[in-house]
Amino acid sequence: MNVVLAVKQYVSKMIEDSGPGMKVLLMDKETTSVVSMVYTQSEILQKEVYLFERIDSANRESMKHLKAICFLRPTKENVEYLIKELRRPKYSVYFLYFSNVISKSDVKCLAEADEQEVVAEVQEFYGDYIAVNPHVFSLNIVGCYQGRNWDPVQLSRATQGLTALLLSLKKCPMIRYLLSSEMAKRLAEGVKQVITKEYELFDFRRTEVPPLLLILDRSDDAITPLLNQWTYQAMVHELLGINNNRIDLSRVPGISKDLKEVVLSAENDEFYANNMYLNFGEIGTNIKNLMEDFQRKKPKEQQKLESIADMKAFVENYPQFKKMSGTVSKHVTVVGELSRLVSERHLMEVSEVEQELACQNDHSSALQNVKRLLQNQRLSELDATRLVMLYALHYERHSNNALQSLLSDLRNRGVSEKYRKLVSSVVEFGGKRVRGSDLFSPNDAVAITKQFFKGLKGVENVYTQHQPFLLDTLDQLIKGKLKDNMYPYVGPSTLRDRPQDIIVFIVGGATYEEAQTVYNLNRMTPGVRIVLGGTTIHNTKSFLEEVQAAGFHSRPSETYQGATRSSVRR
């Protein structure tokens, strides 16, 4: 179950099926992102694709010597663009590939428009999602909530993306969902409907144990996307932002022109592939080793070129040398900027208190530490607010809840009203009233004992104590202990054996911390393969945008009188 490979194979097959000769790749905004995540431009150029165009760009030239490979989402707009294109074709022949199921009526309209008979092929290749890592995918949707319900447009997009993923991995799964989430239920039912309607497409060879699709909701764990991160990939996303593998460094002081935007892709960058899940301390050491290795190789290349053999060796090694030089300067710049932000924003102190809020249960110590940090004027507005949010989520029902006092501390230090209002919005989004599970106080003996021993032993790394709630959910699922009454099946059948192929999808977005959790589970659980997806991959900023767009507002009478209210599951 490798999503990068699945999309890569689709793109390769499109290009191969069009035969030899010069080609143009005609895409839309979304399929451009899909392709760029798995192939570099230079890799595609080697396959005789010399031009990349958007179907919606108005002033494309006519080039009758090129074949057109069209890879498009089967949307109404794209079908209309294609009809126009086929009536006045700009290229010699067209190979049409749709990233999802296209209706028979749309195919009929295209056939009618193809009066000049330039279409050689029409196929469905289900690359309708963003392959982020081999075990992680995203639909790049921010803003799927309307209160507690789906934005209808995004529900349709999520259903399409998830069914395409299943088709590309050749899986016809049993489906379970988080009962406390109406949105998870609706998506689960939507996917089931498509599988039933398109049963011929889903007629894959039966495996002994059927695959399982588990649909969760971000509101069940609002803690994970609020934490600062300390492993490379997650940290880069949290502090700099990763957008389709691209990182915008244009705001870095004194940045050189060619480093204003860099690409971090494990497919084409060995250093990144080997370091993306290591913590920040280890990255520093590895960067130093990379630099030293580079320095050792550098003088040889710049020795006097006295003979033809010297010159030949230099020319042969130069591309490797140039590539290595690019890798070194890129990672040194990224790690340098992370380092600058960590010290400028006092992130080590902030993160220690965040971890205490997420993992410990000592109210007076937590309150004292949050109050102490809020006095530090060097803290950014975001970091000050996120500490209060974590406090509000954890101690929402505590008898000595001091949230009002922390909110006035925020106001006194000049935190904008937008951020202050978001504190109650986050509690409304992911507070105790909403959660199907208990994030903070483990209620079974095993979990309590685990926590007790963890406390006795101390933690290897104070900054990475937190484990996403997803770990517990998947652990229960793999052991066959995930409760049917909290995570029901869609339809009558249930899974008797331990699942082997698991696809987890988080409505409202996954995080890179959860991606790392899944990576570790895959490594340490023989016979189990897990793929994680979400409507998007969040960092704190995008998560708060999601909450704000959902339109959650505080309900003071309920949210802060928690100590006296009984716990009600919705």
Side-chain angles (χ1 to χ4, degrees):
M1 292 215 301
N2 180 332
V3 296
V4 171
L5 190 63
V7 177
K8 224 171 177 166
Q9 285 173 338
Y10 279 142
V11 179
S12 296
K13 189 150 172 43
M14 283 177 218
I15 297 170
E16 279 162 27
D17 287 359
S18 63
M22 294 168 72
K23 309 167 189 68
V24 54
L25 189 52
L26 203 53
M27 298 174 285
D28 60 37
K29 187 180 177 203
E30 286 186 74
T31 55
T32 303
S33 300
V34 171
V35 173
S36 72
M37 290 294 280
V38 298
Y39 269 116
T40 62
Q41 211 157 341
S42 54
E43 284 173 321
I44 291 194
L45 281 169
Q46 286 165 9
K47 296 174 182 279
E48 297 187 292
V49 177
Y50 296 109
L51 196 58
F52 303 87
E53 290 279 20
R54 284 269 295 270
I55 188 85
D56 54 352
S57 81
N59 41 11
R60 279 183 289 115
E61 289 175 47
S62 180
M63 294 187 179
K64 294 289 187 185
H65 60 293
L66 294 182
K67 298 176 175 182
I69 300 167
C70 305
F71 180 42
L72 303 165
R73 295 202 66 243
T75 61
K76 194 161 152 278
E77 298 79 35
N78 284 344
V79 170
E80 280 166 13
Y81 281 127
L82 263 183
I83 288 171
K84 267 189 212 158
E85 179 78 22
L86 295 176
R87 284 191 178 135
R88 303 181 66 178
K90 293 185 171 63
Y91 311 107
S92 62
V93 60
Y94 287 76
F95 296 83
L96 307 183
Y97 299 97
F98 292 100
S99 68
N100 217 314
V101 178
I102 182 165
S103 69
K104 289 190 175 70
S105 57
D106 282 345
V107 174
K108 186 168 176 267
C109 293
L110 290 170
E112 284 165 2
D114 184 24
E115 289 164 4
Q116 300 185 36
E117 298 188 350
V118 287
V119 174
E121 195 166 320
V122 181
Q123 282 210 52
E124 292 169 355
F125 276 6
Y126 306 104
D128 205 15
Y129 54 88
I130 301 289
V132 179
N133 297 133
H135 67 289
V136 183
F137 69 96
S138 164
L139 301 180
N140 279 8
I141 299 170
V142 178
C144 61
Y145 294 93
Q146 284 185 347
R148 295 256 164 256
N149 297 308
W150 274 99
D151 171 330
V153 174
Q154 306 301 13
L155 173 60
S156 158
R157 176 68 188 99
T159 309
Q160 289 163 355
L162 207 39
T163 47
L165 175 98
L166 295 171
L167 288 166
S168 69
L169 296 176
K170 300 186 168 42
K171 303 292 174 197
C172 181
M174 300 182 91
I175 305 172
R176 296 180 73 173
Y177 63 91
L178 176 69
L179 180 67
S180 60
S181 164
E182 183 60 31
M183 291 172 75
K185 182 183 179 187
R186 286 196 61 194
L187 180 58
E189 289 169 348
V191 171
K192 183 70 178 171
Q193 268 172 2
V194 174
I195 292 175
T196 308
K197 185 181 169 204
E198 303 289 348
Y199 64 92
E200 287 171 342
L201 289 177
F202 283 91
D203 187 18
F204 302 119
R205 190 170 57 83
R206 297 281 155 154
T207 49
E208 205 178 316
V209 181
L212 184 78
L213 169 63
L214 175 65
I215 300 179
L216 306 173
D217 192 319
R218 183 75 273 159
S219 63
D220 211 39
D221 172 12
I223 293 289
T224 300
L226 285 173
L227 296 171
N228 268 297
Q229 299 297 322
W230 293 97
T231 55
Y232 198 24
Q233 183 185 37
M235 197 174 178
V236 169
H237 190 43
E238 182 57 41
L239 297 181
L240 302 172
I242 300 175
N243 183 9
N244 291 346
N245 284 349
R246 292 169 191 280
I247 291 98
D248 178 3
L249 296 174
S250 58
R251 289 193 294 278
V252 174
I255 190 80
S256 69
K257 196 176 167 191
D258 54 341
L259 285 170
K260 285 196 169 170
E261 183 181 76
V262 298
V263 174
L264 284 187
S265 160
E267 295 298 300
N268 310 297
D269 181 336
E270 197 185 345
F271 182 85
Y272 185 56
N274 294 337
N275 288 274
M276 57 201 285
Y277 299 123
L278 298 185
N279 69 45
F280 193 52
E282 293 169 293
I283 305 289
T285 311
N286 293 350
I287 279 277
K288 189 165 166 281
N289 296 341
L290 184 71
M291 278 291 286
E292 283 167 1
D293 190 29
F294 176 61
Q295 293 295 9
R296 269 198 303 277
K297 290 179 179 168
K298 192 174 173 184
K300 282 188 204 157
E301 320 294 10
Q302 294 180 343
Q303 282 162 0
K304 288 178 183 163
L305 303 177
E306 287 169 351
S307 67
I308 297 290
D310 288 347
M311 291 180 198
K312 187 166 176 282
F314 178 76
V315 170
E316 279 169 6
N317 291 325
Y318 187 71
Q320 277 307 101
F321 175 68
K322 199 162 187 303
K323 187 181 178 190
M324 193 178 174
S325 152
T327 302
V328 171
S329 53
K330 172 171 73 180
H331 288 289
V332 167
T333 306
V334 170
V335 173
E337 179 59 7
L338 294 178
S339 194
R340 184 184 76 81
L341 290 169
V342 166
S343 78
E344 185 184 272
R345 286 168 53 180
H346 293 256
L347 290 183
M348 291 184 119
E349 290 169 67
V350 171
S351 184
E352 202 171 330
V353 177
E354 286 175 10
Q355 293 287 321
E356 180 188 1
L357 286 164
C359 306
Q360 313 293 329
N361 273 322
D362 182 343
H363 176 260
S364 64
S365 160
L367 180 61
Q368 207 176 332
N369 285 329
V370 174
K371 276 197 160 299
R372 174 176 56 78
L373 275 181
L374 290 183
Q375 300 312 311
N376 180 347
Q377 290 307 313
R378 298 277 300 281
L379 241 61
S380 74
E381 191 172 49
L382 176 66
D383 293 321
T385 312
R386 83 164 99 203
L387 286 169
V388 177
M389 286 170 174
L390 290 165
Y391 173 88
L393 284 166
H394 191 149
Y395 296 108
E396 185 187 352
R397 304 262 168 101
H398 196 279
S399 50
N400 296 328
N401 180 305
L403 184 59
Q404 292 307 331
S405 151
L406 292 177
L407 285 169
S408 55
D409 287 352
L410 285 182
R411 191 170 54 247
N412 295 341
R413 61 170 289 144
V415 169
S416 66
E417 191 185 7
K418 173 192 143 182
Y419 272 126
R420 295 200 315 273
K421 277 186 168 167
L422 269 171
V423 174
S424 47
S425 304
V426 163
V427 175
E428 182 64 15
F429 172 83
K432 208 169 172 83
R433 206 170 54 84
V434 175
R435 292 195 296 270
S437 36
D438 203 335
L439 264 185
F440 294 108
S441 44
N443 37 20
D444 67 323
V446 179
I448 291 169
T449 315
K450 259 195 221 158
Q451 204 174 44
F452 174 69
F453 279 119
K454 194 172 168 187
L456 277 184
K457 239 183 2 196
V459 186
E460 293 159 39
N461 186 337
V462 71
Y463 303 109
T464 53
Q465 304 171 56
H466 174 260
Q467 295 287 2
F469 187 66
L470 180 67
L471 178 63
D472 189 51
T473 310
L474 287 174
D475 186 47
Q476 299 287 320
L477 179 64
I478 290 165
K479 289 174 179 161
K481 293 180 177 174
L482 194 65
K483 293 186 175 122
D484 289 9
N485 62 347
M486 290 175 77
Y487 298 90
Y489 286 84
V490 176
S493 46
T494 57
L495 195 60
R496 284 188 303 279
D497 308 279
R498 276 179 48 162
Q500 290 173 349
D501 288 349
I502 302 167
I503 294 146
V504 188
F505 186 81
I506 305 179
V507 172
T511 65
Y512 282 120
E513 188 185 348
E514 287 157 332
Q516 174 151 11
T517 297
V518 168
Y519 171 79
N520 290 333
L521 273 173
N522 280 333
R523 248 187 8 185
M524 293 156 73
T525 327
V528 173
R529 292 171 293 272
I530 309 168
V531 165
L532 170 71
T535 41
T536 188
I537 310 274
H538 276 311
N539 57 16
T540 301
K541 280 190 182 128
S542 65
F543 170 62
L544 293 177
E545 281 163 18
E546 182 97 54
V547 170
Q548 193 172 22
F552 289 105
H553 303 297
S554 58
R555 301 185 179 186
S557 58
E558 289 177 358
T559 313
Y560 307 124
Q561 304 305 314
T564 57
R565 282 187 69 216
S566 63
S567 169
V568 179
R569 281 273 305 283
R570 70 190 168 82

